[in-house]
Amino acid sequence: MSSALPMGAHARTMKEMSENRIEIAQMDAEMARLQAEIAKIQRRKEEKQRRNRDIEAQQQVKGDFSAATLNYDSEECPWSRSMRTAMRETFKIKDYRLCQRAVCNANLDGRDIVCVMPTGGGKSLTYQLPAFCGTGVTVVISPLISLISDQIMHLNELNVLAAKMTGSTSASEIKQIKTRLTNLIENNVDRHLALLYVTPEKISKSKDFRSLLQRLADNRKLDRIVVDEAHCVSQMGHDFRPDYRELHLLRKLCPSVPIMALTATCPPKVRDDLVKVLGLKPFCKDNELDGTLYFTAPLYRPNLHYSVLPKSPQSKKATDTVVNWILKHHRYDCGIVYCTSRKQTEELARDLQAAGIRTGFYHADKKDGEKEHLHEQWHRGEIQVVCATIAFGMGIDKRDVRFVIHHSISKSLDGYYQESGRAGRDGKDADCVIFYRPQDAWTLAGMLMGGEEKMFPMLNFVQDVVECRKLQFAHYFSHSAELALSAWGDDAMDPCGHCDNCMRNDSEKEGRDVSLEAWQLVKLMKKVCVSKSRYTAQQISDLARKGKVAPKKNAPAETVDMDRVCGGLVKMDAEQLEFLLVWMWTKGYASVKYQQTAYTTTAYICAGPMAFQLSELRKEEVSGSGRTMVTLPKPSKEKKTPKGKGKSKEIVVSDDEDDMFEDDDEVEAEYLNGLDDEVQYIPYGIALGLIQKQRSDVGGGGKGKQREVEEDVIMVHDDDDDVEVAPVQRRKRKSDAATDSDEPSNGGWVSNLRGDVPARKGPASATRASRGKKRAKAGKPVAKVAKTTNRLGPEVIEIMDSDDDDA
Ligand SMILES: Nc1ncnc2c1ncn2[C@@H]1O[C@H](COP(=O)(O)OP(=O)(O)OP(=O)(O)O)[C@@H](O)[C@H]1O
């Protein structure tokens, strides 16, 4: 019997199948649309949940704050008048800030206190002023000698009697201090020592000092004990110090002496630890007369301008970027550059020094004496920039720090908030800049070997190119530290309007659908990490983009058939792909395994616990589904310097440093480089940095040094610290030919690099943009620089001036 269907039936069957296929495809499309919709709703739901938690936290902690300040924020206390006089006359401070008055009053009333105020918010005054007004001594426990020295220096300048007992205090000084304290106990003094600073080791290790404390307390001459940077007590904090644990001895030794704990960051777990370790009384409710008072003050500091800037994968270039940024934005200002390693602090300091910036370096390997010396030099302004590990900075009180740069990311966002908070303590504008590249995330992972819960908020911060930095801090601290959003000011939910993300164009903030790429990466990691689990993020990125990874010594290149594994190569720029990998790690699509050798720990990447959410799907289900939306930074358009001796490359310096791009070099470079493929434009400010650097490379900046190069080159004169950059010959760009005739023959651009570059006569701002575009399109940059590469690195060999339109 034949199974063949009659012709009509067959055609009907075929037709039905074909209709079914169409319907299935439509259903797939509908499902994909619904999934994207669900993902969107999910995001909106999370946003609403987050908002509700914010409101709850706000209401809850607002209550605590008002209870704590109710009785004390007044001028009605018996000591109010004398305290105000001391504040003005001795401390030269006109009025109280934030919750300073309430804390001072609570201190003089003998309360236990936990005070959380922003870095640079003025915590010191809250115990120094009561100490000055009291009759006994205030003992301050502080984690770092540099911090202590700084405070003592400042207090002595104000003529407040303060001393320190640390490892570097000489025997004769210690003797003197002890005599003073004994005299105080015996009521035998005219002017008493108001403040005595010690490190926590002094409490944990010196029996002699502990018995001195006890004697002071027994004789009612110990007014209070202040624990500065109190978060160091807790292992849950970002800066745990084992010696802080031993501070539990204090309450036992001097049970009736009030204790004050000060910090800028205090998550609930840290706060609980504080209470436990320091033996503080339970937090008081309402207007109880006993119990520990908890004060917080707004943590947002509007004078700090936060930004995250891209960092080159090559370390030399990365360092140059930092040097040039400083030269351009803060040539004569005081600042700190935080580095991850001791070696990095020294190298960067050398480069900055070579660029003519008075720079010192600071790290744990330096001897105590050297540290103190550097610290004093910095305080006196003899050193302008300090390149340091995080050993430098906690509690550093230099008011005029105009910038804090992080050459690499911090270990946690709490840490970053503290470190960057060293800037702008005088309330004036200051920049807080992180130079970030995704590979730093893996380096830090290798250093920390875990601790993702602390690292991820930091990574989210640097990878987020959309949300206002102030709001990111506010969300982080209000969740992680359960701090009230009100701690970020009354307008806590308003964007700051001046960070990099607030200043970014909306077009740069648009999310990109990377569902397919994320799916491919998950598939790839699942595949290769089963057969071999040792691929770094960089290698996974290579495999994903090229299907092969660079061979190790004498080994063949490792290849993966990407078509079979995940339907083809991942089509994404390398920088963006590494950025995506970090994002996948923070979201659980990827995870990290660590491999330790005697010298280093390497972080290897593999599929994470959430990977199944993507890997279980088919390619058609993820492709264009909108499941995974990420805003990636724009790929940088860095052009490669030609390799090989003698090869040269023309670079054109644009003149618009104070015109249409309003000093934003990156925007300027991006715009100009989009105009012409053959010529690389560099912004004027960066060119100045280059020239300055070369000047110090070749001439050392010494008096009378002169750099004259042959024809076609720029002459760098260094005469009595005046530098002239004199163009000697004009070189024509092809497109310039028509316009060159009316340009002066020797350019005439002479600039004194020591002072400000002479202001150019510029048209009114309304016409700047069109003028700038016209000039750039006509190929009329004011100055051109041709560059060769020699052993000193890039050498500027020619600067030519075109005209100034307004001349
Ligand atoms: N009420 C005030 N008015 C003006 N300036 C003040 C006031 N209170 C403190 N300052 C100044 O602000 C600067 C920062 O104060 P302080 O060193 O106490 O900050 P901090 O809160 O201890 O910061 P950190 O956590 O970084 O140690 C100091 O230079 C101090 O003199």
Side-chain angles (χ1 to χ4, degrees), residues 256-532:
S256 57
V257 176
I259 294 180
M260 176 191 204
L262 281 170
T263 178
T265 46
C266 195
K269 284 180 188 153
V270 176
R271 204 167 53 192
D272 294 347
D273 267 10
L274 269 184
V275 172
K276 229 183 284 164
V277 174
L278 300 180
L280 300 180
K281 296 169 189 163
F283 284 106
C284 78
K285 296 188 186 75
D286 302 324
N287 292 328
E288 282 173 2
L289 294 176
D290 204 11
T292 298
L293 290 168
Y294 180 65
F295 292 94
T296 62
L299 296 178
Y300 169 53
R301 294 175 56 199
N303 62 320
L304 300 190
H305 308 291
Y306 281 91
S307 55
V308 178
L309 297 178
K311 174 176 169 185
S312 168
Q314 294 157 28
S315 53
K316 179 70 183 91
K317 275 192 187 167
T319 310
D320 285 349
T321 314
V322 174
V323 174
N324 290 332
W325 189 91
I326 296 174
L327 285 172
K328 180 176 176 225
H329 296 276
H330 293 284
R331 174 67 184 85
Y332 300 106
D333 294 334
C334 174
I336 305 173
V337 185
Y338 282 112
C339 305
T340 26
S341 69
R342 294 162 196 192
K343 191 167 155 237
Q344 205 177 50
T345 62
E346 294 178 20
E347 284 173 358
L348 187 58
R350 236 190 341 257
D351 281 2
L352 282 168
Q353 192 75 35
I357 295 175
R358 287 166 286 117
T359 311
F361 62 90
Y362 188 105
H363 54 61
D365 276 356
K366 279 201 142 192
K367 295 198 181 94
D368 282 354
E370 287 175 331
K371 286 181 187 167
E372 283 197 45
H373 181 58
L374 177 119
H375 199 258
E376 281 159 17
Q377 283 181 305
W378 196 56
H379 193 79
R380 287 197 296 265
E382 291 159 16
I383 278 184
Q384 180 191 334
V385 176
V386 178
C387 298
T389 60
I390 52 165
F392 182 78
M394 192 192 267
I396 293 291
D397 179 21
K398 185 149 169 48
R399 291 172 62 82
D400 60 347
V401 175
R402 295 273 69 82
F403 64 93
V404 171
I405 292 178
H406 278 71
H407 193 18
S408 297
I409 47 178
S410 299
K411 291 176 189 161
S412 68
L413 198 56
D414 302 59
Y416 179 61
Y417 176 74
Q418 281 245 346
E419 289 145 28
S420 58
R422 307 289 150 228
R425 281 156 167 272
D426 52 9
K428 294 183 189 156
D429 285 348
D431 287 310
C432 303
V433 177
I434 306 181
F435 284 93
Y436 172 66
R437 60 185 176 199
Q439 76 199 58
D440 286 351
W442 313 112
T443 310
L444 188 61
M447 278 167 60
L448 299 180
M449 286 185 66
E452 279 92 354
E453 72 284 357
K454 284 187 189 170
M455 254 183 91
F456 283 180
M458 183 74 242
L459 292 178
N460 290 336
F461 185 87
V462 284
Q463 294 238 141
D464 190 333
V465 291
V466 177
E467 190 176 28
C468 163
R469 303 287 172 198
K470 169 193 157 191
L471 297 188
Q472 288 187 53
F473 275 130
H475 283 134
Y476 171 70
F477 283 112
S478 59
H479 293 151
S480 85
E482 283 179 22
L483 265 182
L485 270 175
S486 59
W488 293 85
D490 295 339
D491 48 4
M493 295 312 289
D494 295 342
C496 72
H498 56 86
C499 68
D500 57 343
N501 286 348
C502 284
M503 307 292 282
R504 220 182 283 286
N505 290 334
D506 282 348
S507 63
E508 289 177 59
K509 296 183 183 178
E510 276 165 22
R512 167 171 165 187
D513 182 358
V514 289
S515 313
L516 176 63
E517 290 86 348
W519 176 84
Q520 285 178 297
L521 286 167
V522 162
K523 286 280 198 193
L524 172 65
M525 287 189 279
K526 284 213 154 199
K527 171 75 184 168
V528 297
C529 298
V530 170
S531 53
K532 180 190 173 202

Side-chain angles (χ1 to χ4, degrees), residues 87 93-97 100 117-125 151 154 228-229 264 393-397 399 418 421-422 425:
M87 178 177 75
I93 281 175
K94 286 198 195 108
D95 210 346
Y96 298 104
R97 262 191 202 161
Q100 280 177 332
M117 274 167 93
T119 45
K123 289 188 281 296
S124 315
L125 190 80
Q151 294 280 6
H154 182 60
D228 201 4
E229 310 291 352
M394 192 192 267
I396 293 291
D397 179 21
R399 291 172 62 82
Q418 281 245 346
R422 307 289 150 228
R425 281 156 167 272

